[in-house]
Amino acid sequence: MVEIAEAKKRSTNRKPKAKKTKLSRKQLTDLYYYMVLNRALDDRVTSLYKQGKFQGGAFVSRGQEATSVGSAYALEEGDVIGPMIRNSGAILVRGVPPREFLANYLGKKTGPTQGKDGNSHFGDLKRNIFAPVSMLGVLIPVCAGAALAFKMKKQPNVALTWIGDGGASIGDFHEGLNFAAVMKLPFVLILENNGYAYSTPTSKQSLVEDFVIRAQGYGIPGEIVDGNDVLAVYEVTKRAVERARKGGGATLIEAKTFRMKGHAEHDDAFYVPKKIIEYWQKRDPIINYEKYLLKEKVLSKKELTDIQSSVAKEMDEAQKFAEESPLPEAKEAAEGLYAS
Amino acid sequence: MSTITYIEAITKGLREEMQRDESVFCLGEDIGEYGGAFKVTKGFIKEFGEERVVDTILAETAIVGVSIGAAIMGLRPVAEMQFADFISNGWNQLVNMGAKTHYRWGAAVPMVIRLPSGGGLHAGPFHSQNPEAWFFHVPGLKLVAPSTPYDAKGLIKSAVRDNNPVLYFEHKYLYRHVKGEVPDDDYTIPIGKAEIKRVGKDITLITYGSMVQFSLEAAENVTKLGVEVEVLDLRSLLPFDKEMILESVKKTNRAMIVHEATLTGGIGGEISACITQDAFEYLDAPVKRVASIDTPVPYSPPLEAYFMPNTEKITKALRELAEY
């Protein structure tokens, strides 16, 4: 088990470490691309919401892109993920195209749920993505079940899911994590401590400052990571995933990060003190990673700009696809209840 | 063919399914070495190993959730609730995740939850409930409730092979009180199909589970009055065999529903509504319901006896309905 004090020390370094990473230039570029894509997708969701193009809630993950992208990038194709509403970055890493994402927001037939559910509430069996439900924590036991299936089938795969500081209060957290721990399942839980559960600050959620100490109670390794440092998130996840693949059981990772917007687009987050926002603005995961890429001469300024423009183009096409896609036929509401 | 108890029939069906299909596995509290609180899985751990007979932590939310996850990955979990009452702890997983998954994003959830349910054993308010109506209102689930050893084996097999979450209500009173002939070979009973357990022309009595035997006895009792009761065993509660119910009621012109679960909000209300909506002009009397009284299940024997329907109460109701 990693000593918590030591882990905390590591997490205080909010800038990406300049140390040598084992990742190739292609991989480092991928991480940047997915974070930029994540933010562009979120921004597009916001703008479609503001234009009244869809009725439901709009959930974005500004400030948390590094957690989703870094962790999902540490997985293999056959691994299962159980994303929450703020893990669209992970869904993108798994290969779901932004156009399907936007189509789902718009309730279109071409979205993964064909209009049955909204926003990022979808799963994708081909890509081993489990859909979340609005009741937080549900995916913890469910993903433990996927991990159990891997163990039973002797497949060297891992199931990974996320929870927030708020969701960590629900009973499913305890039952699911303890189940995975006791059964030594290939399971990784990333707790994104992002400061707020809707409007409730973490201080009103738990007396514990570092949720990672809970890992001790389950007898599993726990690590804290700077959730705004994509490389650190990648590394810590990779470690946990590799351990799980080798039969080392479950891990709890606490990613310290911040939700830079309200719970959803209808929430202006008036309850968040300005100073806190300013503090985290300086720690924007994308801007900091850009600095790192430039400093380490991984990518040039122009290459960064090229990626941004190609993402913008991709997003324009995605929006066009989503808007031009047909709505489902009303009678389809009665279809698909049971699997045949 | 052998004559076995209801509980032995469940064990037999489950064992055969585990032998037939490697993706079937059991999980639950104390189901391994101990063989389950009622010994349904006795000996399974020796035969199938602890990988396929998973003794779990005491956590119904996790048991249901893990089953859902494993089912989405293509396995066929059969989860045991030690007592049906405890499913309340797995409610959210089942209702919000399990039941809605296929509708929302097309993933099949081929899982079974076995629910030892019902009263008559003086087990008090938390070990005697019949919670089927809690789930009857949840689109996406399937509910079955066998009344005989033959049906118990055939339905557990269908439940295991179904690609949806199936709640299998096995009645604790029937476990060792009912014996019957059960074929040794493989057979299934289709989910959604009722069976006429007794043919009659004067009253249709619709029932299931523990009340089938009592209803058959009551039907026998009223033959003295010249009343021939048709006893229809639903076997599947969701979806239920509306067609067979209507067909029978159109023939007999009188309908009665009997269940052990409490009256208000029970399944009987829905069946009654179906009959009055679709066969009203065939009815010679109002639809009658016999069920447990609207209280928690009491512990002391005289209280529990007062709480539950029995042969005598059903007989009385049949007489009233015949005389209406």
Side-chain angles (χ1 to χ4, degrees), chain A residues 75-82 94 127-130 143 146 150 157-161, chain B residues 73:
Chain A
L75 298 173
E76 304 289 336
E77 210 180 306
D79 298 334
V80 157
I81 64 163
R94 296 298 291 229
R127 300 181 171 101
N128 280 338
I129 301 171
F130 282 16
C143 287
F150 288 142
N157 285 109
V158 176
L160 182 148
T161 186
Chain B
M73 293 309 288

Side-chain angles (χ1 to χ4, degrees), chain B residues 11 14-21 24-26 41-53:
Chain B
T11 300
L14 199 51
R15 173 178 282 125
E16 284 176 22
E17 286 307 289
M18 287 187 74
Q19 289 164 342
R20 183 188 61 81
D21 181 352
V24 181
F25 75 101
C26 295
T41 55
K42 193 179 168 202
F44 277 34
I45 199 158
K46 216 170 176 186
E47 185 176 349
F48 302 106
E50 58 180 22
E51 289 223 331
R52 290 180 68 199
V53 185

Side-chain angles (χ1 to χ4, degrees), chain A residues 32-51:
Chain A
Y32 180 70
Y33 162 75
Y34 284 118
M35 283 205 289
V36 171
L37 189 66
N38 187 173
R39 186 162 293 183
L41 176 65
D42 280 351
D43 288 348
R44 201 55 66 110
V45 166
T46 301
S47 94
L48 289 168
Y49 174 80
K50 288 187 173 158
Q51 292 166 47

Side-chain angles (χ1 to χ4, degrees), chain A residues 237-264:
Chain A
T237 312
K238 191 84 182 163
R239 236 184 345 260
V241 164
E242 291 312 317
R243 187 164 50 233
R245 272 193 226 292
K246 288 180 195 147
T251 302
L252 174 65
I253 295 168
E254 179 178 1
K256 304 274 194 192
T257 182
F258 200 73
R259 192 190 76 198
M260 291 302 288
K261 293 187 99 178
H263 170 63

Side-chain angles (χ1 to χ4, degrees), chain B residues 3-321:
Chain B
T3 303
I4 55 174
T5 60
Y6 179 93
I7 195 167
E8 285 166 343
I10 300 168
T11 300
K12 208 170 158 64
L14 199 51
R15 173 178 282 125
E16 284 176 22
E17 286 307 289
M18 287 187 74
Q19 289 164 342
R20 183 188 61 81
D21 181 352
E22 277 212 342
S23 64
V24 181
F25 75 101
C26 295
L27 72 164
E29 294 155 16
D30 307 296
I31 68 155
E33 198 58 39
Y34 194 69
F38 297 97
K39 308 287 184 192
V40 169
T41 55
K42 193 179 168 202
F44 277 34
I45 199 158
K46 216 170 176 186
E47 185 176 349
F48 302 106
E50 58 180 22
E51 289 223 331
R52 290 180 68 199
V53 185
V54 180
D55 239 339
T56 68
I57 56 169
L58 196 164
E60 285 82 12
T61 293
I63 293 168
V64 177
V66 162
S67 299
I68 294 168
I72 294 172
M73 293 309 288
L75 297 181
R76 291 185 176 270
V78 181
E80 175 178 301
M81 287 294 114
Q82 200 152 67
F83 284 86
D85 313 62
F86 305 163
I87 188 66
S88 49
N89 290 330
W91 172 266
N92 185 41
Q93 284 285 348
L94 189 57
V95 166
N96 284 314
M97 185 75 198
K100 295 173 176 58
T101 292
H102 188 264
Y103 184 76
R104 292 169 63 230
W105 55 288
V109 187
M111 62 183 275
V112 181
I113 302 183
R114 291 184 30 242
L115 298 140
S117 39
L121 298 168
H122 324 305
F126 306 107
H127 291 78
S128 310
Q129 294 175 85
N130 291 283
E132 61 270 21
W134 300 352
F135 301 99
F136 187 62
H137 196 57
V138 180
L141 299 179
K142 291 188 179 183
L143 277 54
V144 299
S147 68
T148 65
Y150 181 88
D151 290 352
K153 182 179 163 187
L155 276 172
I156 192 75
K157 283 171 171 276
S158 293
V160 168
R161 296 177 198 185
D162 200 282
N163 287 327
N164 298 280
V166 182
L167 303 191
Y168 182 91
F169 292 92
E170 48 193 65
H171 201 285
K172 300 193 297 288
Y173 183 82
L174 300 180
Y175 273 165
R176 292 176 176 88
H177 281 89
V178 177
K179 272 191 169 186
E181 285 198 339
V182 175
D184 296 319
D185 54 345
D186 186 36
Y187 68 94
T188 57
I189 287 170
I191 293 177
K193 293 281 174 220
E195 191 191 41
I196 293 173
K197 291 276 201 278
R198 183 187 202 277
V199 180
K201 58 175 178 33
D202 302 317
I203 293 175
T204 298
L205 190 163
I206 301 137
T207 187
Y208 58 91
S210 65
M211 288 296 129
V212 172
Q213 194 53 40
F214 296 144
S215 297
L216 287 168
E217 285 166 17
E220 201 54 40
N221 288 344
V222 295
T223 53
K224 287 173 244 162
L225 309 170
V227 179
E228 289 301 328
V229 180
E230 182 144 294
V231 178
L232 194 153
D233 179 359
L234 284 177
R235 303 194 296 194
S236 286
L237 312 180
L238 189 69
F240 65 90
D241 197 342
K242 200 174 161 184
E243 221 167 86
M244 192 182 280
I245 293 169
L246 292 175
E247 201 179 304
S248 176
V249 171
K250 285 174 184 176
K251 181 179 79 175
T252 63
N253 313 116
R254 283 167 210 262
M256 185 163 121
I257 302 136
V258 181
H259 57 59
E260 191 189 301
T262 54
L263 182 76
T264 304
I267 286 173
E270 178 63 28
I271 293 165
S272 169
C274 277
I275 295 168
T276 46
Q277 184 177 289
D278 295 331
F280 183 74
E281 58 271 36
Y282 293 89
L283 288 176
D284 290 340
V287 177
K288 204 171 181 72
R289 288 185 291 160
V290 177
S292 288
I293 61 168
D294 288 326
T295 65
V297 188
Y299 164 71
S300 181
L303 303 183
E304 193 183 28
Y306 183 83
F307 165 87
M308 280 170 53
N310 55 27
T311 306
E312 196 190 341
K313 291 180 195 177
I314 303 166
T315 307
K316 183 171 170 278
L318 281 173
R319 213 162 41 222
E320 287 165 6
L321 184 57

Side-chain angles (χ1 to χ4, degrees), chain A residues 27-225:
Chain A
Q27 290 171 313
L28 292 169
T29 310
D30 275 357
L31 289 173
Y32 180 70
Y33 162 75
Y34 284 118
M35 283 205 289
V36 171
L37 189 66
N38 187 173
R39 186 162 293 183
L41 176 65
D42 280 351
D43 288 348
R44 201 55 66 110
V45 166
T46 301
S47 94
L48 289 168
Y49 174 80
K50 288 187 173 158
Q51 292 166 47
K53 295 269 172 72
F54 62 91
Q55 314 286 329
F59 303 91
V60 301
S61 50
R62 180 171 283 263
Q64 296 182 223
E65 293 90 344
T67 330
S68 293
V69 170
S71 52
Y73 201 74
L75 298 173
E76 304 289 336
E77 210 180 306
D79 298 334
V80 157
I81 64 163
M84 297 205 305
I85 46 167
R86 258 174 267 287
N87 296 120
S88 41
I91 296 173
L92 294 169
V93 171
R94 296 298 291 229
V96 174
R99 61 189 208 161
E100 284 186 22
F101 217 106
L102 291 179
N104 208 61
Y105 257 106
L106 268 50
K108 297 298 181 76
K109 174 85 178 146
T110 50
T113 69
Q114 305 185 340
K116 299 277 179 62
D117 204 345
N119 56 67
S120 60
H121 266 206
F122 59 82
D124 185 339
L125 271 184
K126 301 187 294 293
R127 300 181 171 101
N128 280 338
I129 301 171
F130 282 16
V133 300
S134 297
M135 297 73 191
L136 297 178
V138 163
L139 283 182
I140 299 174
V142 170
C143 287
L148 179 68
F150 288 142
K151 195 180 172 194
M152 288 176 71
K153 293 196 234 175
K154 299 189 172 34
Q155 271 174 247
N157 285 109
V158 176
L160 182 148
T161 186
W162 296 262
I163 192 74
D165 42 293
S169 293
I170 213 157
D172 295 46
F173 178 99
H174 167 63
E175 292 198 17
L177 192 53
N178 192 38
F179 191 103
V182 169
M183 302 282 300
K184 298 198 167 43
L185 300 180
F187 177 76
V188 180
L189 177 60
I190 300 185
L191 193 159
E192 290 181 83
N193 185 345
N194 70 356
Y196 284 85
Y198 210 142
S199 73
T200 305
T202 309
S203 59
K204 283 189 178 178
Q205 202 70 243
S206 175
L207 291 182
V208 167
E209 196 191 330
D210 298 319
F211 286 79
V212 77
I213 69 163
R214 293 190 185 184
Q216 291 184 350
Y218 298 112
I220 57 171
E223 298 203 39
I224 289 188
V225 67

